[in-house]
Amino acid sequence: MFSDQIIVLTYVIRSDAERRGYHPWLRIIDNPFFNSVPKIARYENWKLAADADANPLLWTHFDLLHPAKGVEPMEVFQIPVVADFAANWSRLWGVAPAAEDQSVNYQIHILERVRQGKCQRGQLLALVIDPDLDKLPADAELWRTRSMVVGANQLGQTFALQPLSLTNAQVDAGWGRQVLVGDCIASPDYP
């Protein structure tokens, strides 16, 4: 079972990052590092499916970080190795690594659980911004934005995650104000 709070990082990477090996770096370095931090229960890396018409947002990637039981999300940012790792990420992959305001590179959202949903996410995931609860599948995870740590809110006041099948990745635009599809790059289940 996932924790009742989640940290969602939305971000964009430098234009040459994928060519320089960003996705392998996530699988080999980033994901194992965050999943080894004792105050973190689970960490996953995702990329939005390439559909420019459906994605007018300022981000292309997102990470889902579940703090360990009893750990407040802000505690994660106070871990020195996590802060150092984040600074190195900006230097290696951020659009503007030296920017004083790092929100040009990433946004950090803290959300709280409203509804559990499925316990296993899989390889594909629908992200539903401001979901319509009458149309959203009953097994979707439902989250409410609690606060922002860095940048402006990219996820709306409520946000849903709906696992999708690889064989039938159908989404319904009526599920919410905006429905995006994420593809898992790295997680404890998909190294």
Side-chain angles (χ1 to χ4, degrees):
M1 175 157 111
F2 297 122
S3 57
D4 287 335
Q5 297 183 81
I6 190 172
I7 299 167
V8 180
L9 297 95
T10 54
Y11 59 97
V12 64
I13 54 177
R14 208 172 303 154
S15 61
D16 67 344
E18 287 191 36
R19 181 180 50 76
R20 291 188 297 116
Y22 183 63
H23 291 173
W25 181 85
L26 289 176
R27 291 181 194 102
I28 296 166
I29 306 293
D30 183 81
N31 197 271
F33 167 77
F34 279 103
N35 279 300
S36 73
V37 174
K39 291 188 176 188
I40 297 173
R42 184 176 180 87
Y43 177 76
E44 304 166 348
N45 306 98
W46 298 81
K47 179 181 180 181
L48 293 179
D51 185 351
D53 295 334
N55 182 19
L57 301 173
L58 302 176
W59 49 284
T60 57
H61 291 71
F62 63 100
D63 298 341
L64 304 175
L65 188 157
H66 289 273
K69 186 175 181 170
V71 174
E72 285 297 315
M74 290 306 293
E75 289 179 57
V76 172
F77 304 112
Q78 296 167 354
I79 302 169
V81 293
V82 170
D84 291 345
F85 196 94
N88 190 51
W89 180 94
S90 290
R91 185 181 60 76
L92 291 171
W93 311 109
V95 173
E100 189 171 316
D101 178 1
Q102 283 294 302
S103 68
V104 299
N105 292 318
Y106 55 83
Q107 301 77 44
I108 301 175
H109 311 73
I110 297 177
L111 295 93
E112 59 190 0
R113 179 181 308 287
V114 175
R115 182 171 75 198
Q116 176 65 41
K118 287 186 178 178
C119 288
Q120 188 165 357
R121 293 193 178 116
Q123 185 67 33
L124 293 176
L125 185 64
L127 294 81
V128 184
I129 297 172
D130 294 326
D132 180 334
L133 299 182
D134 292 330
K135 295 180 182 175
L136 186 70
D139 59 354
E141 296 175 50
L142 190 59
W143 299 89
R144 177 181 305 119
T145 300
R146 192 174 91 188
S147 63
M148 292 301 300
V149 177
V150 175
N153 185 343
Q154 303 292 307
L155 304 177
Q157 288 309 108
T158 55
F159 173 73
L161 298 170
Q162 173 64 35
L164 300 172
S165 164
L166 284 174
T167 57
N168 182 16
Q170 296 294 319
V171 297
D172 182 341
W175 287 350
R177 178 172 56 86
Q178 187 165 25
V179 181
L180 305 165
V181 174
D183 187 10
C184 187
I185 300 168
S187 80
D189 305 320
Y190 300 101

